[in-house]
Amino acid sequence: MDAACSTQLIDGDGTFNVAGVDHFIKEVKLEECGLSYAVVSIMGPQSSGKSTLLNHLFGTNFREMDAFRGRHTTKGIWIARCAGIEPCTVVMDLEGTDGRERGEDDTAFEKQSALFALAVSDIVLINMWCHDIGREQAANKPLLKTVFQVMMRLFSPRKTTLMFVIRDKTRTPLENLEPVLREDIQKIWDSVPKPQAHKETPLSDFFNVEVVALSSYEEKEEQFKEQVYNLRQRFFHSVAPGGLAGDRRGVVPANAFAFSAKQMWQVIKENKDLDLPAHKVMVATVRCEEIAHEKFASFIANENWRELEEAVQSGPVSGFGKKLSSILESCLSEYDTEATYFEEGVRSSKKQQLQEKLLQLVQPTFQDLLGHLRSGALENFKDAFEKALNAGEGFSSSADSCAQSCMSKFDKGCEEAVIEQAKWDTSKTREKLQRDIEAHISSVRTEKLSELTTLYQSKLNVALSGPVEALLDGANDETWPAIRKLLKRESELAVYGLSDALSGFDMDKETRNKMLTDLENYARGIVETKAREEAGRALMRMKDRFATIFSHDSDSMPRVWTGKEDIREITKMARSASLKLLSVMAVIRLDDELDNIEKTLTLALVNSTSNNATNKSISTIDSLASSTWEQVAPEKTLITPVQCKSLWRQFKNETEYTVTQAISAQEANRRNNNWLPPPWAILALAVLGFNEFMTLLRNPLWLLVLFVGYLVSKALWVQLNISEEFRNGALPGLLSLSTKFLPTVMNLLKKLAEEGQAPPSTNTNQTSMNSSAQSEVTTNGESSTSSSSSASSPVKSVPTNKSA
């Protein structure tokens, strides 16, 4: 469409042509003009040549009145762009006043259109006939009254240029016509009712009055065109300072012209007073909101923002702050560009609201980024801290250096993430990271300290448990001094080691001393626990001690009860040693305190069995009738006096059998060694057998027979091991010999027969065989003796179980 093509703005019925105006603005590119545009309107009586003037003055194509048909063509308000005039100038052709079509009394539309023209236009042309100047009933007077009356309905009206265009000028000079016209205008202004606030307000405060005169278009067309051309030059740069346009305080940006005009016409049509400043604010509010909404939607659809948002979901983004700040700045700059000509307060307020909405939109992404930075920094700290500790660095120095490095990287990441438009505070996230790091350090410190404590406790367990058990097993007067010495040495070693290990931890002296004290107490607790365990096995230990001493000699060789041993003394010595063990295990002696436990036990348990037991005092009897020891704290007591008495009684009962068996074995050994008859029997045999002895002397052959019989008997004695068989009793010996006698005799006869058949050179072999037989007999005898000794001493047959 041609830039000068006219469009109906408001039809004759007062309907605003929204679609037509929007189309017109797009076609003439009015939105690009900002505030650099002007609006010119023309008013005048019907058929006064308004459209003709506009078409010649501005190059528009408003339809003119058909002179031949006499048909009026302008209804409502039409709009067009002036051709070839800079800045962009929009002209409005208003329906003529005093038209017969609307009637004499219907002036509503006339007033509404006049008020609309004053509110919208920078320059208002009032077209009037030259012959009406100075006349009381001139056609322009109702028009001027209408203009001045509606002017009162504008709150804080802006100063508008009123240009009176005198048509069909006569020969009367303009210098004479202008004063008359101005006088008529002033009279009309003075006659118009005004609000109290404007009673004395001069006309010049509301209007810049300009007067021009044009020749008749029909009679002097060339002169008319020349004059119009000269007038046209005054409209160039009309909005510049000193230009033709009046006060432009109420002008709205070009991209809001259609909306502003529509809202103004709606208010005017509803017969309401038009507050131009408020209208300007309203237009600015609506348009700025629309622009802000468009920019917000444009930001959401921005591809760079979408990519940045998606990238943040998977991890930190380098240069996030600069990238997002650039996108935001671009969006806000576009808003400023489009809203730059609107009222500053509204524009700034809506920009602030747009910025807040944009920041609300991006804040979750920003928080996600901070979360990634925080979690990444925390993981980096954990890894670096662990590597530093594994490399052998001190705990506190590693924690401080790694924490500082981590926080520095986090701060740098936050600086890169900060958005220029927001300046959000990242201190809370930083504080949370600091708390997380401190919590991790505390956790690792607790873990490391626990590991160190466990390590040295394990060392103490190894260093103390076995040795203490061994020392208590061999309980004697030096047991507890040795245990104290062991405890002191191992405790000092452990405390020194732990103290050295703790030097890398930044801890207060009180905590450090407490840990070292706890370790010392733990070492003491190991000894006490082991002592209590061994005290629980006191009876077994006593029995083992008794069995060891009773059944073994001073060279640790097993005893053979031959009858020469003093069993009573050995028993007393073994029981005294067991009592010593009981006294050692009765209490814990880690503080080197003296006690009389051994003396008390000796008097009450050992000496009470002596011959003067009947004379012992009542105090000695009752010394063990207590649950505590004298001069010993209850918590140090392992075995109470009452328990000692009970254990001793049980110990004696269980070792009594061993002593009895030893006595029986000793007696049996004595019987076996005394197999010859008594001396009186030998004397009787010598007296009564004297005759037989003499017979043997007179007949030596009997001596040979007796010698052979002796050899046979000796061989049978050795082969049958008669002395050993009868050691267990007469009846068992007879039964055993009865089963072995015949096989032994047959074996001897067989050997004699074999030797008789052998050649004479076998004498040497015979001698060797006899020696072998003698050796075998001797070996069997020793074996039997050993077996007998074993059978007679049941103490040795019971193995000592020290680990029970």
Side-chain angles (χ1 to χ4, degrees):
M1 144 179 162
D2 187 0
C5 184
S6 62
T7 299
Q8 191 172 34
L9 180 64
I10 300 172
D11 63 15
D13 297 328
T15 302
F16 194 90
N17 185 10
V18 177
V21 173
D22 290 341
H23 180 69
F24 168 79
I25 289 175
K26 290 180 181 179
E27 288 295 327
V28 301
K29 299 180 180 179
L30 182 62
E31 291 180 340
E32 301 176 1
C33 296
L35 294 178
S36 183
Y37 75 101
V39 179
V40 180
S41 60
I42 187 168
M43 294 185 293
Q46 185 178 5
S47 303
S48 61
K50 299 187 300 298
S51 299
T52 302
L53 175 61
L54 292 178
N55 290 339
H56 285 83
L57 181 61
F58 298 116
T60 57
N61 59 353
F62 293 118
R63 284 187 295 176
E64 303 174 8
M65 174 180 173
D66 191 333
F68 298 100
R69 297 181 181 180
R71 185 171 59 188
H72 186 257
T73 58
T74 304
K75 289 292 183 180
I77 300 175
W78 290 71
I79 188 171
R81 178 176 177 176
C82 302
I85 296 180
E86 294 295 334
C88 177
T89 301
V90 177
V91 62
M92 292 192 302
D93 187 10
L94 275 65
E95 181 179 330
T97 60
D98 196 22
R100 66 175 183 174
E101 288 84 354
R102 294 190 179 273
E104 294 182 359
D105 298 328
D106 190 5
T107 59
F109 186 80
E110 178 183 324
K111 292 181 178 181
Q112 289 173 354
S113 60
L115 180 58
F116 179 75
L118 288 175
V120 173
S121 303
D122 299 296
I123 304 169
V124 178
L125 303 179
I126 298 179
N127 198 43
M128 61 183 302
W129 299 113
C130 181
H131 59 263
D132 284 339
I133 296 176
R135 296 173 55 187
E136 287 294 328
Q137 304 298 324
N140 65 328
K141 285 191 175 183
L143 175 62
L144 289 176
K145 286 183 179 180
T146 298
V147 170
F148 294 155
Q149 286 174 357
V150 298
M151 195 67 183
M152 296 299 101
R153 294 176 59 187
L154 294 176
F155 294 96
S156 302
R158 61 174 178 166
K159 198 170 184 179
T160 306
T161 297
L162 288 180
M163 179 175 283
F164 290 86
V165 181
I166 302 173
R167 302 292 298 277
D168 295 349
K169 174 182 172 296
T170 61
R171 292 182 179 180
T172 305
L174 179 62
E175 290 80 4
N176 297 334
L177 295 175
E178 183 174 351
V180 177
L181 177 60
R182 290 183 177 274
E183 183 180 354
D184 290 343
I185 294 173
Q186 186 64 44
K187 287 181 181 180
I188 297 172
W189 172 255
D190 294 338
S191 65
V192 172
K194 305 179 187 65
Q196 187 65 31
H198 296 294
K199 284 288 186 180
E200 306 298 329
T201 302
L203 175 67
S204 59
D205 288 353
F206 289 91
F207 299 102
N208 289 325
V209 178
E210 298 283 342
V211 179
V212 295
L214 298 176
S215 300
S216 172
Y217 173 69
E218 294 180 355
E219 296 176 0
K220 302 177 180 179
E221 181 177 354
E222 294 300 326
Q223 188 178 359
F224 173 82
K225 290 182 178 180
E226 181 181 355
Q227 292 171 347
V228 167
Y229 176 79
N230 293 332
L231 178 61
R232 173 184 172 89
Q233 303 307 311
R234 298 186 62 184
F235 286 91
F236 282 89
H237 307 293
S238 60
V239 298
L244 190 61
D247 182 8
R248 292 177 56 80
R249 289 176 298 175
V251 68
V252 296
N255 57 4
F257 175 79
F259 174 78
S260 175
K262 178 184 176 183
Q263 294 299 318
M264 282 185 178
W265 179 249
Q266 184 177 351
V267 173
I268 291 171
K269 193 175 181 181
E270 292 174 357
N271 291 321
K272 296 179 181 179
D273 293 339
L274 184 61
D275 187 348
L276 289 183
H279 173 77
K280 181 180 179 182
V281 172
M282 182 271 296
V283 172
T285 301
V286 174
R287 280 297 298 143
C288 287
E289 284 180 353
E290 291 177 353
I291 295 171
H293 180 73
E294 292 173 1
K295 298 310 167 187
F296 184 76
S298 173
F299 179 86
I300 293 176
N302 187 284
E303 192 65 28
N304 293 332
W305 158 243
R306 288 178 176 271
E307 292 177 357
L308 194 62
E309 185 181 25
E310 292 176 0
V312 170
Q313 299 302 319
S314 57
V317 177
S318 178
F320 173 86
K322 291 183 178 180
K323 294 177 181 178
L324 184 54
S325 297
S326 175
I327 299 173
L328 289 171
E329 183 61 30
S330 176
C331 179
L332 294 174
S333 297
E334 291 177 3
Y335 169 87
D336 288 336
T337 301
E338 296 188 22
T340 186
Y341 300 113
F342 290 102
E343 201 273 330
E344 182 178 0
V346 177
R347 182 179 74 246
S348 299
S349 174
K350 297 305 175 182
K351 180 181 180 180
Q352 183 66 26
Q353 293 178 10
L354 172 61
Q355 181 171 306
E356 290 175 358
K357 285 182 65 178
L358 292 173
L359 293 178
Q360 289 177 358
L361 176 66
V362 303
Q363 189 174 24
T365 304
F366 177 76
Q367 293 298 331
D368 291 342
L369 179 66
L370 290 184
H372 289 311
L373 291 175
R374 183 186 62 80
S375 59
L378 182 59
E379 290 302 320
N380 291 336
F381 168 78
K382 291 179 179 179
D383 294 340
F385 189 35
E386 182 178 0
K387 291 179 180 178
L389 292 178
N390 293 336
E393 296 183 19
F395 184 89
S396 297
S397 59
S398 299
D400 292 341
S401 61
C402 293
Q404 290 178 1
S405 175
C406 169
M407 296 306 297
S408 298
K409 291 180 180 179
F410 176 78
D411 291 340
K412 184 177 180 181
C414 288
E415 290 177 2
E416 294 181 355
V418 168
I419 302 170
E420 295 178 2
Q421 293 81 0
K423 303 297 182 184
W424 282 319
D425 185 14
T426 60
S427 61
K428 290 185 178 180
T429 306
R430 191 181 192 278
E431 291 172 359
K432 189 175 187 309
L433 174 60
Q434 187 71 44
R435 290 195 300 271
D436 291 341
I437 291 176
E438 291 174 355
H440 181 71
I441 292 174
S442 177
S443 174
V444 174
R445 178 188 288 110
T446 302
E447 181 181 351
K448 293 298 181 182
L449 291 177
S450 177
E451 290 177 358
L452 284 175
T453 303
T454 303
L455 173 64
Y456 284 97
Q457 286 178 352
S458 300
K459 290 183 177 180
L460 284 173
N461 271 319
V462 174
L464 293 176
S465 295
V468 169
E469 181 178 352
L471 289 170
L472 291 175
D473 185 29
N476 53 48
D477 292 336
E478 296 300 321
T479 296
W480 283 108
I483 291 176
R484 288 194 294 271
K485 183 177 180 181
L486 174 68
L487 174 62
K488 181 179 179 181
R489 182 180 72 250
E490 297 300 334
S491 297
E492 288 177 351
L493 288 175
V495 168
Y496 178 80
L498 180 60
S499 177
D500 185 61
L502 293 179
S503 61
F505 292 84
D506 186 14
M507 60 173 55
D508 57 277
K509 186 176 180 180
E510 182 179 355
T511 304
R512 179 191 182 90
N513 292 338
K514 183 178 182 303
M515 290 187 65
L516 298 179
T517 302
D518 289 344
L519 186 62
E520 291 178 346
N521 294 335
Y522 180 81
R524 187 183 182 96
I526 292 174
V527 175
E528 293 179 356
T529 302
K530 182 56 65 175
R532 295 185 188 279
E533 291 177 2
E534 294 301 315
R537 297 194 286 265
L539 179 60
M540 184 191 70
R541 296 294 190 193
M542 292 168 64
K543 288 160 56 178
D544 290 344
R545 175 71 63 87
F546 178 85
T548 300
I549 296 176
F550 187 79
S551 301
H552 295 77
D553 58 19
S554 59
D555 296 327
S556 299
M557 297 299 293
R559 291 185 189 275
V560 178
W561 302 106
T562 62
K564 298 178 182 180
E565 296 83 4
D566 187 353
I567 293 180
R568 182 182 295 276
E569 186 63 30
I570 294 174
T571 301
K572 184 177 180 181
M573 181 176 62
R575 286 179 176 174
S576 297
S578 299
L579 186 66
K580 168 66 74 174
L581 186 145
L582 181 62
S583 67
V584 170
M585 291 189 175
V587 296
I588 297 173
R589 298 178 177 86
L590 294 178
D591 298 323
D592 196 15
E593 296 177 352
L594 299 178
D595 58 68
N596 58 355
I597 294 176
E598 184 178 1
K599 182 179 178 181
T600 301
L601 290 176
T602 302
L603 291 174
L605 300 178
V606 177
N607 294 344
S608 62
T609 60
S610 62
N611 294 331
N612 60 348
T614 56
N615 298 325
K616 60 186 177 180
S617 62
I618 300 300
S619 60
T620 303
I621 296 175
D622 297 336
S623 61
L624 299 182
S626 174
S627 61
T628 57
W629 298 100
E630 293 182 5
Q631 302 177 353
V632 177
E635 61 271 11
K636 296 182 180 180
T637 300
L638 299 177
I639 306 174
T640 64
V642 174
Q643 291 173 337
C644 285
K645 187 174 182 180
S646 176
L647 285 173
W648 186 257
R649 185 182 301 111
Q650 187 177 355
F651 164 73
K652 288 181 66 177
N653 291 338
E654 294 184 7
T655 58
E656 192 70 32
Y657 177 75
T658 302
V659 178
T660 302
Q661 288 296 313
I663 294 173
S664 298
Q666 193 178 57
E667 299 238 352
N669 195 312
R670 286 175 181 173
R671 285 196 303 269
N672 293 333
N673 291 335
N674 295 331
W675 55 272
L676 292 175
W680 62 268
I682 297 174
L683 181 61
L685 286 174
V687 174
L688 295 176
F690 179 75
N691 294 330
E692 288 77 3
F693 179 71
M694 294 303 295
T695 303
L696 290 176
L697 290 178
R698 294 188 189 101
N699 190 357
L701 185 60
W702 285 101
L703 291 176
L704 178 60
V705 172
L706 289 176
F707 180 71
V708 173
Y710 170 75
L711 291 177
V712 173
S713 300
K714 183 64 176 177
L716 289 175
W717 182 278
V718 174
Q719 289 292 328
L720 294 175
N721 198 11
I722 294 174
S723 60
E724 184 66 29
E725 295 294 342
F726 279 96
R727 179 172 293 184
N728 295 324
L731 182 59
L734 292 174
L735 293 174
S736 178
L737 291 175
S738 64
T739 59
K740 296 166 60 178
F741 178 75
L742 186 58
T744 302
V745 172
M746 295 300 294
N747 188 28
L748 286 176
L749 293 176
K750 184 178 179 181
K751 286 183 178 182
L752 290 174
E754 290 176 355
E755 291 178 1
Q757 294 176 2
S761 59
T762 59
N763 290 334
T764 305
N765 293 336
Q766 179 66 33
T767 304
S768 176
M769 184 176 63
N770 290 337
S771 299
S772 177
Q774 181 65 29
S775 176
E776 181 179 356
V777 171
T778 303
T779 303
N780 290 337
E782 291 179 356
S783 177
S784 299
T785 303
S786 177
S787 176
S788 175
S789 175
S790 177
S792 65
S793 180
V795 177
K796 295 189 290 181
S797 65
V798 181
T800 302
N801 187 4
K802 295 183 180 180
S803 62

